[in-house]
Amino acid sequence: MLFEQIAKNKRKTIVLFIGFFLFMEIVGAALGYYLLGEWVPGVIIAIVTGIVYAVYMFSQSTDVVMSLNHAQEITNADQAPDLWHIVEDMALVANVPMPRVFIIDDPSPNAFATGNDPEHAAVAATSGILSVLNREELEGVMAHEMTHVRNYDIRIQTIAVALTSAIAMLANFGTHFWYFGGGNRNRDNKDGNIIAMIASILVLVLAPIAATLVQLAISRNREFLADAGAVELTRNPQGLINALNKISQSEPMSDENVSPESAALYIANPLKEKKLTNLFATHPPMSERIAALQKM
């Protein structure tokens, strides 16, 4: 079952990568038509941007994500003994290499894992989670993160973060020209051109939202599986249940310490809750996750 899940996630990574790149080409075409009246230059820009973002994130994903979230690496057990030894133990149980360990100086309890594969993984925990959770609860959280590492969820999320950011950058470039009256205004105002122009503007406006929705949907599905995996590793659902209860009752992280692009990586939404539908939620409802764990 485990190897099937890993193989499935590797296949999903390829599909996700191709899907996001095709979507990026659509955004690039819209950008090119809006600015220059031609599709091809925008498509070329999108291809180059996508490749640069993907290569950069594949080679530097951990450092990039940790930098975005102001995380500081610890390199030995003396700096945070409980966290270090728990991560070490859970990595051993999950049969994955010991990941790099980071701490984010924020009083809100939270944690996440990132990287391209188990050999290049890293976990981050806030200072708040170290002070709020006991050892049993912290084991549940780190087991959850080690499940993400073991199942290659981290690779899927890393690619999603990178390409969502690239799409947002392309779209924002175009919409900024729109807001300030830019773009090619010397076109023949035939109906076909007007329709194409409207379509291009709609793509540029809606593309970041669509890309983010895909990223969030991926994250929500992975959280239930990681919760179940944590119970498999610890044989103790109550530890993670108690941890999720404490996390859900805490204040969100400071906006200065968390990047919105990487919010979906965390075990719980680190940002202030917005009154939106579940479609826009970074994580499944905590009550549903706890209920699923209680059945175990």
Side-chain angles (χ1 to χ4, degrees), residues 1-51:
M1 184 67 180
L2 169 61
F3 294 110
E4 290 178 3
Q5 181 62 44
I6 292 173
K8 185 178 181 181
N9 275 357
K10 288 181 177 180
R11 291 193 297 270
K12 282 186 176 180
T13 301
I14 296 173
V15 173
L16 175 69
F17 193 79
I18 294 173
F20 261 112
F21 252 94
L22 291 176
F23 187 40
M24 189 178 294
E25 300 319 303
I26 294 174
V27 176
L31 178 65
Y33 188 82
Y34 177 70
L35 296 179
L36 304 172
E38 298 180 17
W39 308 106
V40 176
V43 172
I44 295 174
I45 292 173
I47 291 174
V48 173
T49 301
I51 291 174

Side-chain angles (χ1 to χ4, degrees), residues 149-208:
V149 172
R150 181 188 65 177
N151 292 355
Y152 282 76
D153 293 339
I154 53 174
R155 176 181 291 177
I156 295 176
Q157 290 289 6
T158 297
I159 292 175
V161 169
L163 297 185
T164 298
S165 299
I167 289 171
M169 186 195 72
L170 288 174
N172 288 339
F173 183 74
T175 52
H176 284 161
F177 269 80
W178 175 36
Y179 293 146
F180 293 104
N184 188 344
R185 303 306 185 196
N186 298 320
R187 297 189 187 90
D188 184 1
N189 290 324
K190 293 181 179 179
D191 290 343
N193 287 342
I194 293 174
I195 293 173
M197 176 61 66
I198 293 174
S200 297
I201 293 173
L202 286 175
V203 168
L204 293 175
V205 171
L206 299 178

Side-chain angles (χ1 to χ4, degrees), residues 124-280:
T126 62
S127 56
I129 207 169
L130 302 182
S131 62
V132 170
L133 304 190
N134 61 34
R135 183 178 181 86
E136 179 186 55
E137 295 159 352
L138 189 56
E139 283 181 348
V141 170
M142 287 302 117
H144 172 103
E145 302 306 336
M146 286 305 104
T147 301
H148 279 314
V149 172
R150 181 188 65 177
N151 292 355
Y152 282 76
D153 293 339
I154 53 174
R155 176 181 291 177
I156 295 176
Q157 290 289 6
T158 297
I159 292 175
V161 169
L163 297 185
T164 298
S165 299
I167 289 171
M169 186 195 72
L170 288 174
N172 288 339
F173 183 74
T175 52
H176 284 161
F177 269 80
W178 175 36
Y179 293 146
F180 293 104
N184 188 344
R185 303 306 185 196
N186 298 320
R187 297 189 187 90
D188 184 1
N189 290 324
K190 293 181 179 179
D191 290 343
N193 287 342
I194 293 174
I195 293 173
M197 176 61 66
I198 293 174
S200 297
I201 293 173
L202 286 175
V203 168
L204 293 175
V205 171
L206 299 178
I209 299 174
T212 299
L213 288 179
V214 173
Q215 181 190 2
L216 297 183
I218 293 168
S219 173
R220 291 194 295 270
N221 290 336
R222 299 273 71 78
E223 292 307 306
F224 284 114
L225 292 175
D227 288 345
V231 175
E232 176 193 345
L233 297 181
T234 63
R235 307 294 181 185
N236 178 21
Q238 195 59 47
L240 184 55
I241 289 172
N242 293 343
L244 294 180
N245 269 318
K246 288 183 178 180
I247 292 171
S248 66
Q249 295 168 13
S250 302
E251 292 296 316
M253 292 177 63
S254 168
D255 291 342
E256 297 178 356
N257 291 332
V258 58
S259 162
E261 292 83 4
S262 56
L265 296 175
Y266 284 81
I267 191 171
N269 183 11
L271 303 173
K272 294 179 181 179
E273 293 284 356
K274 296 180 173 63
K275 301 300 181 180
L276 298 173
T277 66
N278 286 340
L279 186 66
F280 293 90

